[in-house]
Amino acid sequence: MKDDIERVLVTEKEIAKAVEKLGAQISEDYKDKNLLLVSVLKGSVVFMADLMRAITIRCKIDFMSVSSYGAGVNTSGAVKIIKDLDIPLEDYDILIVEDILDSGITLSYIRELLSQRKPASIKIATLLDKPERRRVDIKADYSCFHIPDEFVVGYGLDYAEVYRNLPYIGVVKRELYEG
Ligand code: IMP
Ligand code: MG
């Protein structure tokens, strides 16, 4: 698997440091609130697992799953709910936990959908942000790393469902997805 990676973009150490810092920031910002972390499957599971343990205040977690990409590297623009949340959102301060903010289509759809359920507040935390790729007007309230316009894998992110278990963020060799 490691042979498929051209180079490491964010190391394990850099990720751990950033997640620790973000957890502390969220713990401070939400200390008087009713925090519900909403993880968007599957890409954010690794980030979620680390981030929730870096948060020191009481909180709850839930998961939802949407699909926007199929197996390729470019967004289709269509977002479909595969698995919805289990609990009603009234009175919760929602923090959506995402792996990457790319075109923004997925997150703006999710944010709009969850807003309609009248939570106390709703914000976005993303591990990675590719601002150059944005196609809709959306910003993350918290983001760990801005990265260039390159397709990345690892730490939860996949290419065709593979590489999610790499402990760092890397760039896949081009020949693997350009045939
Ligand atoms: P958006 O709707 O274009 O912002 O796409 C968000 C989703 O696309 C993410 O949750 C990822 O699953 C996927 N995605 C976008 N860029 C990458 C990437 O570089 N590597 C892996 N998945 C990506
Ligand atoms: Mg994803």
Side-chain angles (χ1 to χ4, degrees), residues 40-44 66 68 98-100 157-158 164:
V40 184
L41 296 170
K42 301 169 216 169
S44 74
V66 300
S68 58
E98 248 291 34
D99 50 359
I100 187 165
L157 290 111
D158 71 305
R164 295 192 195 274

Side-chain angles (χ1 to χ4, degrees), residues 40 43 68-69 73 75 79 98-107 130 133 147 150-153 157-159 164:
V40 184
S68 58
Y69 263 61
V73 295
T75 192
V79 180
E98 248 291 34
D99 50 359
I100 187 165
L101 186 50
D102 186 36
S103 72
I105 291 168
T106 311
L107 266 179
K130 284 184 195 169
R133 296 260 305 172
I147 60 163
E150 278 185 287
F151 196 79
V152 296
V153 296
L157 290 111
D158 71 305
Y159 169 61
R164 295 192 195 274

Side-chain angles (χ1 to χ4, degrees), residues 15-27:
I15 295 170
K17 201 176 154 197
V19 172
E20 203 57 46
K21 194 174 154 203
L22 179 58
Q25 182 69 56
I26 291 168
S27 304

Side-chain angles (χ1 to χ4, degrees), residues 92-112:
Y92 284 107
D93 292 286
I94 308 298
L95 186 59
I96 301 171
V97 178
E98 248 291 34
D99 50 359
I100 187 165
L101 186 50
D102 186 36
S103 72
I105 291 168
T106 311
L107 266 179
S108 67
Y109 175 85
I110 292 172
R111 188 176 62 178
E112 178 53 33

